[in-house]
Amino acid sequence: MFIVVYIISLKLTKKTSRAFGHAADITTFLLFMAVPVAIKSLFQIQVMGVVLSFAIITSVLLTILEWKSKKEIELIPLLRKIWRFLFLVLSFAYFIVWCVGLVLKVMEFMN
């Protein structure tokens, strides 16, 4: 999905950084659903609450860090930083879950 949104956004905006940002923003929303579904399908455990709790705790911590460093919080840039950080974490988590799933399926096929 990231690549599809990136290509469409690149054609519309003609700016690489803006296209990457749009793709990351939309993909983050999808990753919030994809990571718990992938974990549920592999391990039969519910982690949506853990993912949402992690997002809230991360938001609080990044807000505190922003407040300590700047004293004046600009809301839109802060929300963008939080959202992009969550994109990185969720992308990494999805990659790890995907690799684990691949290994499990290969091991299942070999037996």
Side-chain angles (χ1 to χ4, degrees), residues 7 22 24 30 36 45 53-54 65 75 79 90 101 104 107:
I7 291 170
H22 289 169
L30 296 174
I45 57 173
S53 297
F54 175 78
L65 287 173
L75 187 60
L79 291 176
L90 289 171
L104 290 175
M107 289 173 51

Side-chain angles (χ1 to χ4, degrees), residues 3 9 12 19-20 26 39-40 56 59 61 63-65 67 71 73 76 80 82 88 93:
I3 294 170
S9 185
L12 294 175
F20 188 86
I26 292 171
I39 292 172
K40 172 89 168 137
I56 291 170
S59 300
L61 292 175
T63 303
I64 291 170
L65 287 173
W67 174 63
K71 301 292 183 202
I73 297 175
I76 300 301
R80 189 174 294 124
I82 292 168
L88 293 173

Side-chain angles (χ1 to χ4, degrees), residues 49-63:
V50 174
V51 170
L52 292 176
S53 297
F54 175 78
I56 291 170
I57 291 168
T58 300
S59 300
V60 169
L61 292 175
L62 289 175
T63 303

Side-chain angles (χ1 to χ4, degrees), residues 17-94:
S17 63
R18 184 162 287 200
F20 188 86
H22 289 169
D25 292 343
I26 292 171
T27 305
T28 304
F29 177 72
L30 296 174
L31 285 169
F32 265 107
M33 293 177 267
V35 170
V37 167
I39 292 172
K40 172 89 168 137
S41 69
L42 283 176
F43 306 112
Q44 287 72 42
I45 57 173
Q46 201 64 273
V47 294
M48 180 60 95
V50 174
V51 170
L52 292 176
S53 297
F54 175 78
I56 291 170
I57 291 168
T58 300
S59 300
V60 169
L61 292 175
L62 289 175
T63 303
I64 291 170
L65 287 173
E66 185 82 9
W67 174 63
K68 294 277 186 182
S69 68
K70 292 189 178 175
K71 301 292 183 202
E72 188 71 32
I73 297 175
E74 295 179 35
L75 187 60
I76 300 301
L78 174 63
L79 291 176
R80 189 174 294 124
K81 285 178 189 176
I82 292 168
W83 198 247
R84 300 281 165 80
F85 179 76
L86 291 173
F87 167 74
L88 293 173
V89 170
L90 289 171
S91 295
F92 181 72
Y94 189 76

